[in-house]
Amino acid sequence: EIAPMPEKLDLTARLDAVSARVRHLFVVHGVAQVAILAVVWVLATFLIDWSLPLLPSGVRLVFLASGLVGLGWAVWRWVLYPLSVHITDDDIALCLEQQYPKLRDRLISSIQLARGDARNDFNSTELVQALIAETATLTERLDFQAVVLPQAPRKRATAGMSAVGGLLLLAVFFPEHAGIYLQRILDGSTSAKGYQA
């Protein structure tokens, strides 16, 4: 049988850690995108409702329905769909080999041979063991997380938190306007007093 990964350095576990980090950043980026979209929708519908207080109730209900549909789409597109994309060890290994050219295909070869992708009939068990051990030694001091670039998700998360925080501050400073908006947008009410009343 093809030799397993050497116990002194579990390459598969390290690749799995990179995959988990990528998925975490997918979630951070996606949730931030959804939050920003929600804030934009609230501000846009508030401004329309504030500037046109005689809007028919049906229009406000359309606003609500479109917002729910839009947010549902955003959650699927920016959170659920990225999480459904299967990131294989091979994908990560290839990225690492681009980051660290000195590996010269050793990592991807070791990963594939260790899980038995290649037929034993055409490979010497001793050579496979030697390659895996050499790869383990070469990669022991390499930072696998270097292929993960968190800057963009972090910036988007900061923007999302700022947007939500700003909206909450507006609601705190203008509670009456926030209450009127919620009543009018949630039930399409035209009986609630206007913002200028």
Side-chain angles (χ1 to χ4, degrees):
E1 295 182 357
I2 298 297
M5 287 290 182
E7 293 183 1
K8 69 174 184 178
L9 184 63
D10 189 348
L11 294 175
T12 302
R14 294 180 68 192
L15 294 175
D16 288 344
V18 175
S19 178
R21 181 81 186 284
V22 170
R23 292 183 180 280
H24 170 74
L25 292 176
F26 277 160
V27 172
V28 169
H29 187 272
V31 170
Q33 289 273 84
V34 173
I36 292 170
L37 179 64
V39 170
V40 169
W41 177 82
V42 168
L43 291 176
T45 53
F46 172 81
L47 289 174
I48 293 172
D49 193 53
W50 177 78
S51 60
L52 301 172
L54 298 180
L55 276 176
S57 60
V59 174
R60 295 190 183 92
L61 293 177
V62 169
F63 286 163
L64 179 60
S66 64
L68 293 175
V69 171
L71 288 178
W73 174 85
V75 169
W76 175 83
R77 177 64 182 83
W78 292 328
V79 180
L80 300 180
Y81 175 72
L83 288 177
S84 70
V85 175
H86 182 55
I87 304 173
T88 67
D89 287 347
D90 291 8
D91 296 328
I92 298 171
L94 291 172
C95 288
L96 284 164
E97 289 183 344
Q98 288 183 345
Q99 180 76 15
Y100 302 111
K102 69 178 183 179
L103 292 176
R104 297 180 182 176
D105 297 329
R106 288 188 181 92
L107 182 57
I108 185 66
S109 298
S110 297
I111 293 296
Q112 293 175 343
L113 290 170
R115 67 173 178 244
D117 283 1
R119 293 186 58 187
N120 195 33
D121 297 344
F122 301 101
N123 292 285
S124 163
T125 301
E126 292 76 14
L127 289 177
V128 171
Q129 289 176 329
L131 174 63
I132 294 172
E134 180 186 56
T135 302
T137 301
L138 277 174
T139 59
E140 193 167 7
R141 297 183 181 278
L142 298 182
D143 180 13
F144 279 17
Q145 298 292 337
V147 297
V148 182
L149 303 177
Q151 290 84 358
R154 285 176 181 170
K155 287 180 181 178
R156 191 51 54 96
T158 300
M161 289 188 292
S162 299
V164 172
L167 186 64
L168 291 176
L169 282 176
L170 287 174
V172 169
F173 284 114
F174 302 98
E176 186 175 359
H177 285 69
I180 293 171
Y181 167 76
L182 287 175
Q183 182 179 351
R184 291 162 72 98
I185 204 71
L186 291 178
D187 63 9
S189 175
T190 55
S191 61
K193 62 180 180 179
Y195 298 100
Q196 292 83 10

